[in-house]
Amino acid sequence: MNDFTKGDFLESEIAEDDDSSIYLSIGDLMSGLLMFFMLLFITALLQLAEKDAPKRVVIGNVVGQMKSNNINVKVNPETGDVSIQESILFAKGSTELKPEGKDFLRGFIPVYSRVIFSKPEFEKEVSRVVIEGHTSSEGDYQTNLQLSLLRSASVYRYIFSEMNFQTQVPLSQKILAAGRGEIEADKTRDNPGDRKVVFRFQFRSDHLAEKYRQNPSLEKKKQ
């Protein structure tokens, strides 16, 4: 009877040891998987940061040059968008550049363009510059869209027909005019801040990142 009880006790201990080993193995496996996914996540973040670096250097240079040349514009530090308020360039409802608007462009454009072409890597990173006209939500959609497009076209025409600066020709190969109307405007009120012209970069690294997101195999081929 004692031998039987002792045998049962030993078998129970062995079973418990086996269970513990199983639990330990599962825990080790989960820890390993967690570590693996953490490494993948960190690697992905580093790759994104590496791709983003040229873009941030370009934006930083734009911000620095605007400040050092006392050019009063709003630069988005994340996207590099340069916003110029309507009051600087146009009279309300007009598509004709004001004299002070022309003066502003003569000071702004050469400095802005010089940043893009100051280094080969900057020129390569900036694939396009879009002049975007924007309006507030006052008025009807079609009128605002036409107004914004005509304003951006006026800016474009002045830059390349009436100005003369060193990087004019290469800039003309990157730049285009577009009208956004009230698409990005505050729909609840007539906000004067929505009436603006925006110089917007399109970055090569953004285009490549989107391309790789749509087709991850391209990244593997690149490596």
Side-chain angles (χ1 to χ4, degrees):
M1 181 72 174
N2 288 339
D3 289 343
F4 179 77
T5 303
K6 186 177 180 181
D8 286 346
F9 177 74
L10 289 173
E11 287 180 2
S12 176
E13 277 194 333
I14 292 170
E16 287 179 2
D17 287 344
D18 289 342
D19 289 343
S20 297
S21 298
I22 292 171
Y23 294 142
L24 186 61
S25 297
I26 293 174
D28 289 343
L29 178 61
M30 294 301 291
S31 297
L33 285 173
L34 181 62
M35 182 65 70
F36 174 72
F37 285 117
M38 283 295 293
L39 288 172
L40 280 180
F41 178 69
I42 292 170
T43 301
L45 286 179
L46 290 173
Q47 287 177 341
L48 285 174
E50 185 180 352
K51 286 189 176 74
D52 223 26
K55 178 174 79 172
R56 296 204 172 277
V57 174
V58 173
I59 294 171
N61 273 263
V62 170
V63 172
Q65 287 299 313
M66 294 300 109
K67 288 182 178 178
S68 63
N69 287 274
N70 296 315
I71 298 173
N72 185 23
V73 291
K74 182 180 178 182
V75 184
N76 185 316
E78 296 298 321
T79 64
D81 291 355
V82 178
S83 298
I84 306 166
Q85 289 309 116
E86 170 203 49
S87 58
I88 296 175
L89 299 175
F90 301 97
K92 187 174 181 179
S94 173
T95 61
E96 183 178 348
L97 281 165
K98 297 193 297 186
E100 53 264 47
K102 294 179 180 180
D103 287 342
F104 174 84
L105 290 173
R106 282 197 295 270
F108 164 69
I109 290 296
V111 175
Y112 181 75
S113 181
R114 192 161 59 239
V115 172
I116 299 170
F117 299 101
S118 60
K119 295 182 179 180
E121 56 266 35
F122 289 4
E123 182 178 356
K124 183 179 180 182
E125 177 61 21
V126 178
S127 57
R128 191 166 294 282
V129 178
V130 184
I131 307 171
E132 291 185 348
H134 292 257
T135 71
S136 72
S137 56
E138 181 183 32
D140 66 87
Y141 178 84
Q142 288 299 330
T143 300
N144 285 336
L145 188 61
Q146 184 179 26
L147 177 63
S148 67
L149 180 57
L150 289 175
R151 282 181 166 177
S152 64
S154 291
V155 173
Y156 179 96
R157 189 163 49 250
Y158 182 75
I159 293 171
F160 297 108
S161 298
E162 299 186 46
M163 287 180 62
N164 185 23
F165 53 98
Q166 189 174 3
T167 54
Q168 190 174 34
V169 173
L171 181 63
S172 69
Q173 296 168 358
K174 286 184 178 289
I175 205 165
L176 58 82
R180 299 284 288 170
E182 61 185 74
I183 290 175
E184 298 181 13
D186 184 345
K187 300 299 189 293
T188 63
R189 67 188 182 96
D190 175 24
N191 183 359
D194 291 331
R195 299 188 185 102
K196 60 194 174 187
V197 172
V198 176
F199 283 76
R200 178 164 290 169
F201 286 136
Q202 289 183 355
F203 290 104
R204 176 177 175 273
S205 56
D206 288 344
H207 174 71
L208 289 175
E210 180 61 28
K211 192 175 180 181
Y212 290 137
R213 276 195 292 271
Q214 293 175 356
N215 190 353
S217 63
L218 292 175
E219 180 71 27
K220 293 178 182 178
K221 289 178 182 177
K222 181 184 174 186
Q223 295 172 350

